[in-house]
Amino acid sequence: MTYTNFTIETDADGIALVTWDMPGKSMNVFTAEVLRELAAVNDAVVKDEAIKGVVFTSGKATFSGGADLSMIKGMFTFQAEEKKKNPETAAQKLFELCGEMTGLFRKIETSGKPWVSAINGTCMGGAFELSLACHGRVASNSKAVKIALPEVKVGIFPGAGGTQRVPRLTNAQDALQMMTTGQTLTPQRAKALGLVHELAAPEALIDAAKAMIKNGLKAVQPWDEKGFKAPGGSMWSAAGAQLWPAASGILRRETYGNYPGALAIVKCVYEGLQVPFDTALKIEQRYFTQILQTTEAFSMIRSLFVSMQELGKGARRPAGVPKSDFKHVGVIGAGFMGASIAYVTAAAGIPVTLIDRDIDAATKGKAHSEGLVKDSVAKGRMTQEKGEQLLALITPSADYADLKTADFVVEAVFEDRKVKKDVIEAVEAVLSPDAIFASNTSTLPITGLAENSKRPAQFIGVHFFSPVEKMMLTEVILGKETGDAALARALDYVAAIKKTPIVVNDTRGFYVNRCVFRYIHEAYDMLIEGVPAVMIENVAKMAGMPVGPLSLNDEVAIDLSQKILKATVADLGEQAVDPAHLELVNKLVDDLDRRGRKNGKGFYDYPEKPAKKHIWAGLKDLYPQKSADELDVQTLKDRFLVTIALEAARTIEEGIVTDPREADVGSILGFGFAPYTGGTLSYIDGMGAKAFVALCEKLALSYGDHFAPTPLLKDMAAKGETFYGRFDPYAKVAAAA
Ligand code: NAD
């Protein structure tokens, strides 16, 4: 029999080498077809008496990324349709669907013939669960091998036997740690944990896997042997008594109870280890069915898996513009941002000219990359040779004539209209006619800056976030006259440097900073009301934000907040800002010289290391303090999430953001908006517009008009609409097709 996705070659020893190599895909993923064929492969192996055992590997550079988007999406569509058609049997049907992969892997594991997984590269999720069901696992001793069960990061958990096999191979504590964080393991670490049996040189991988079979590998898993005991001991052992009471407390500390998928892992392991293996798999299947029906799983998978991939693959790229091939990029301004932009560009293999006012400043900008490379080489993340190649791509310069051959130029000079105007003119004087000019301004509208350009159609905003090397998001800002060629080139550039883009129309603060400042301003309101600062910070984290608003404001600098508030007054008038906010930042900056982390004094104090930062004690003297007992934690949590989500809704209403996927992904990647919600708009869709409007109205009564629901939200509430329904991102694609 022939297969589309697999080949089988049986050698003279009767060992079948099953190679997974999906045609037309850069990576192997599980699809319904792959599962069907894998089942057929297993049946064929069982039937063929000449076959003694199987070595399972991948024909790609990576092993497999796990489940395919379409399969996961299919599960949600199936569930939604079943719920409509047959509500009473929908959950049962979903339960059966959830058991398909589990059942197939169990069938392989109990087929009577030994299977060895030969892991040659990245092995994630379902692919590692399949490997765990094999009787032997050999991994290449190579940096290319990364092993993880990362499902928790998208709101679900390893539901194809992972929660049962991992704690039967390693101790429960490491198993919980691995699965509740989704951490990536090196092959060495996987071996140390007992999750991989052997490591082999990449070229000797298949031979090593075959040798396991030839050396008499049993076709029976340890847990199917009589008298099997899990390596971590039972619940009732001393180790168990130490682990289990603490486990849920630790999880609570890390997740504040916001991630049902993570909690389900703890339950699966705890309950599963107390029963025979097949019952344990059923327990996992039940929890998996339950988790798949949660709003968190639905929203997280949509934003963090589906939308992120779609945006990364150019969902917003205008059709018909040829793909850019970057031969030369220019970066102007070798300061804090420009130096990092040059680094990420060179790291993508693109030659960069890094320009500043003089060669010393430009060279200093390149030194930033030298520092990063040195660090990576020292930590073994980069070879010396790769580091040198990267650095050779960055040429510091003070001469604009060097930009003659650039396809794309990013400007990151001072945030000053006059300085930017001079730079735009100087660059355009040498730039080739079809090159694109991008500004990394954080506050100046792109349309206004483009007025300095002779070619506004080729002028665009590309807004990076700091630290550029780590932040995965880039906002692409369209000026009024920005053309398709500029948008396509900007999106191609963002893809080349491996970041996720969102496309935003021009507005003060664009999308991310508009939302971020709502978050910070709500904290100002709370401070002014007398909410203790520590409570503000803790409650924000309980709501799911990674960094408290006061800490965040210290990072971006309080004097920057002051500058932005003052600029807003200058441009839009006094009524555009809350005078109490201005008074607070003026007091901190002008009277107390508390500017944030950069001068060691902000909402926090920053003592010398190893002492940790702590809230500045004087903060409580600025406003009469309320006692924690007077405050309702849920209301404080709601205030943070609602004020940000409302701002996101306004950007949609104003036509600034046009695709809900971008609002959601931008909010999570840009400022870590409570990821379990799936992002700002999914947060609203998740509770329903009606409930959200009611919550806004309640908050507006006590905390101000900025909580008043907008006309769009009221309309959506009245009609029972969602953002993904009303602004369906796929409708445009369908209409165009
Ligand atoms: P910075 O002061 O660290 O760097 C600016 C650099 O521009 C300096 O090295 C300066 O010498 C150089 N420069 C000034 N005039 C120049 C000219 N005429 N020609 C060439 N070089 C010139 O500032 P930064 O924080 O890197 O910010 C740069 C831009 O990026 C600003 O527009 C800022 O709003 C934007 N931005 C900053 C951040 C952030 O977190 N700092 C985030 C996003 C966007």
Side-chain angles (χ1 to χ4, degrees):
M1 182 174 168
T2 55
Y3 307 91
T4 307
N5 302 290
F6 298 96
T7 55
I8 308 182
E9 289 165 72
T10 308
D11 67 12
D13 296 318
I15 299 175
L17 178 64
V18 177
T19 306
W20 185 8
D21 195 352
M22 297 173 81
K25 290 229 180 213
S26 58
M27 196 190 264
N28 291 322
V29 284
F30 284 107
T31 60
E33 186 192 54
V34 165
L35 289 178
R36 256 195 321 275
E37 288 196 347
L38 185 58
V41 168
N42 183 48
D43 291 344
V45 166
V46 170
K47 242 195 248 155
D48 190 340
E49 283 184 7
I51 295 181
K52 305 273 177 293
V54 172
V55 169
F56 186 88
T57 195
S58 154
K60 314 271 188 211
T62 55
F63 187 83
S64 159
D68 180 46
L69 276 187
S70 57
M71 200 164 120
I72 304 271
K73 264 177 150 178
M75 275 194 163
F76 284 113
T77 320
F78 172 86
Q79 185 188 334
E81 282 168 5
E82 275 302 313
K83 263 192 182 153
K84 265 190 237 150
K85 277 193 301 192
N86 309 303
E88 58 295 330
T89 55
Q92 177 64 31
K93 286 218 172 128
L94 183 65
F95 176 72
E96 283 156 17
L97 192 66
C98 289
E100 276 179 12
M101 217 152 140
T102 310
L104 171 58
F105 293 175
R106 183 71 179 139
K107 214 169 155 194
I108 289 173
E109 155 173 281
T110 54
S111 66
K113 294 196 179 173
W115 281 56
V116 177
S117 176
I119 303 170
N120 60 316
T122 296
C123 180
M124 296 280 165
F128 189 54
E129 292 185 285
L130 168 61
S131 300
L132 290 170
C134 292
H135 308 91
R137 286 168 294 286
V138 188
S140 281
N141 198 349
S142 139
K143 280 211 167 66
V145 174
K146 295 188 178 94
I147 293 172
L149 294 173
E151 290 85 345
V152 75
K153 293 183 180 169
V154 293
I156 51 176
F157 67 84
T163 66
Q164 299 312 315
R165 292 189 178 94
V166 174
R168 282 170 172 81
L169 289 165
T170 192
N171 70 74
Q173 186 170 357
D174 285 328
L176 289 179
Q177 168 80 7
M178 176 193 181
M179 293 187 286
T180 56
T181 61
Q183 70 185 180
T184 300
L185 306 177
T186 60
Q188 292 76 16
R189 177 76 184 134
K191 174 143 192 294
L193 287 175
L195 300 178
V196 159
H197 296 100
E198 281 179 29
L199 302 182
E203 62 283 0
L205 180 70
I206 301 300
D207 286 345
K210 286 186 172 180
M212 274 186 101
I213 297 176
K214 282 190 241 168
N215 293 339
L217 178 71
K218 263 184 150 179
V220 181
Q221 294 280 31
W223 41 89
D224 288 324
E225 301 262 24
K226 235 184 150 153
F228 169 75
K229 285 200 170 49
S234 85
M235 307 300 123
W236 321 111
S237 64
Q242 259 195 346
L243 171 67
W244 288 104
S248 45
I250 293 170
L251 186 74
R252 183 92 197 166
R253 186 188 66 196
E254 301 301 324
T255 65
Y256 296 96
N258 288 326
Y259 293 85
L263 181 59
I265 292 170
V266 179
K267 291 181 182 175
C268 284
V269 176
Y270 183 79
E271 294 173 27
L273 281 180
Q274 304 187 53
V275 294
F277 192 70
D278 284 304
T279 313
L281 289 179
K282 278 274 178 291
I283 289 174
E284 181 193 79
Q285 194 180 341
R286 287 224 164 81
Y287 278 121
F288 196 70
T289 309
Q290 191 186 66
I291 290 300
L292 266 191
Q293 296 177 78
T294 60
T295 308
E296 288 86 348
F298 176 77
S299 302
M300 283 178 81
I301 286 180
R302 180 169 62 189
S303 293
L304 291 165
F305 197 46
V306 182
S307 301
M308 214 149 94
Q309 285 202 22
E310 288 170 351
L311 296 179
K313 284 185 184 154
R316 293 294 311 281
R317 193 182 183 281
V321 183
K323 192 122 181 60
S324 322
D325 174 23
F326 293 96
K327 294 201 179 62
H328 179 195
V329 163
V331 176
I332 328 287
F336 181 65
M337 294 301 281
S340 294
I341 297 169
Y343 175 83
V344 296
T345 308
I350 304 170
V352 197
T353 299
L354 178 59
I355 291 194
D356 209 295
R357 288 176 292 185
D358 53 54
I359 187 72
D360 284 352
T363 307
K364 199 169 150 225
K366 179 171 175 178
H368 172 70
S369 294
E370 287 160 358
L372 291 173
V373 165
K374 202 170 150 199
D375 198 40
S376 298
V377 172
K379 288 187 178 140
R381 287 201 209 112
M382 196 185 270
T383 61
Q384 184 75 29
E385 192 194 352
K386 275 254 157 63
E388 281 164 17
Q389 282 167 1
L390 188 159
L391 291 174
L393 290 172
I394 306 176
T395 310
S397 164
D399 187 357
Y400 284 89
D402 291 347
L403 298 176
K404 261 198 296 223
T405 56
D407 324 284
F408 192 70
V409 169
V410 185
E411 162 284 302
V413 297
F414 296 143
E415 190 75 339
D416 178 297
R417 281 199 176 91
K418 172 75 174 82
V419 176
K420 298 228 190 251
K421 176 177 189 292
D422 293 346
V423 167
I424 293 164
E425 287 168 1
V427 173
E428 285 193 354
V430 298
L431 216 51
S432 81
D434 64 346
I436 302 298
F437 187 102
S439 173
N440 177 46
T441 176
S442 39
T443 55
L444 304 171
I446 293 300
T447 307
L449 283 180
E451 281 165 12
N452 303 304
S453 167
K454 290 203 183 77
R455 333 159 322 141
Q458 283 155 271
F459 196 103
I460 196 161
V462 172
H463 184 217
F464 285 89
F465 295 89
S466 137
V468 175
E469 297 82 15
K470 291 216 177 103
M471 296 293 285
M472 284 163 72
L473 185 74
T474 309
E475 262 180 309
V476 174
I477 324 289
L478 300 175
K480 267 211 178 73
E481 296 190 50
T482 302
D484 276 359
L487 174 58
R489 183 87 49 92
L491 291 176
D492 290 345
Y493 171 70
V494 174
I497 58 169
K498 298 195 173 65
K499 309 237 176 255
T500 304
I502 59 168
V503 181
V504 177
N505 287 314
D506 208 6
T507 179
R508 181 179 293 272
F510 312 133
Y511 170 66
V512 169
N513 284 345
R514 272 181 67 161
C515 293
V516 166
F517 279 102
R518 285 288 175 184
Y519 180 44
I520 290 175
H521 290 171
E522 201 55 32
Y524 290 176
D525 278 351
M526 291 181 188
L527 267 182
I528 294 163
E529 288 162 26
V531 179
V534 176
M535 193 154 174
I536 295 175
E537 296 289 87
N538 285 341
V539 160
K541 287 194 205 136
M542 290 165 79
M545 302 299 289
V547 181
L550 303 177
S551 182
L552 182 66
N553 201 175
D554 272 2
E555 295 298 327
V556 297
I558 305 174
D559 54 337
L560 181 67
S561 296
Q562 183 192 36
K563 223 168 130 188
I564 292 170
L565 284 172
K566 284 186 173 170
T568 310
V569 170
D571 293 348
L572 305 175
E574 294 209 333
Q575 78 296 338
V577 307
D578 184 333
H581 292 176
L582 201 51
E583 198 186 312
L584 168 63
V585 295
N586 284 345
K587 193 179 296 173
L588 288 167
V589 176
D590 300 339
D591 303 350
L592 301 162
D593 193 31
R594 303 197 73 90
R595 292 164 192 271
R597 184 192 271 280
K598 65 180 181 184
N599 78 333
K601 296 186 292 183
F603 291 107
Y604 284 76
D605 271 330
Y606 297 86
E608 281 198 10
K609 283 186 176 163
K612 283 189 178 158
K613 71 174 188 179
H614 51 81
I615 291 280
W616 169 51
L619 208 48
K620 65 179 181 324
D621 303 323
L622 295 185
Y623 303 97
Q625 296 287 284
K626 285 193 170 138
S627 111
D629 297 340
E630 290 174 66
L631 297 159
D632 177 46
V633 168
Q634 187 59 43
T635 304
L636 294 173
K637 280 164 60 176
D638 288 343
R639 284 172 66 179
F640 281 131
L641 299 190
V642 170
T643 191
I644 300 170
L646 253 171
E647 190 65 15
R650 286 186 199 104
T651 64
I652 289 263
E653 193 157 1
E654 293 164 21
I656 301 300
V657 174
T658 54
D659 185 327
R661 291 176 296 183
E662 293 180 310
D664 275 343
V665 170
S667 69
I668 298 178
L669 298 188
F671 54 95
F673 183 84
Y676 65 91
T677 62
T680 45
L681 299 184
S682 285
Y683 168 67
I684 301 177
D685 278 1
M687 76 171 81
K690 201 168 160 207
F692 184 73
V693 164
L695 185 54
C696 290
E697 282 167 348
K698 192 178 108 196
L699 293 174
L701 281 179
S702 306
Y703 303 104
D705 283 347
H706 63 289
F707 279 112
T710 66
L712 169 69
L713 283 163
K714 286 190 193 162
D715 190 49
M716 285 171 57
K719 294 178 179 153
E721 285 178 337
T722 60
F723 280 99
Y724 280 82
R726 182 153 172 162
F727 301 93
D728 181 359
Y730 305 105
K732 283 178 226 159
V733 183

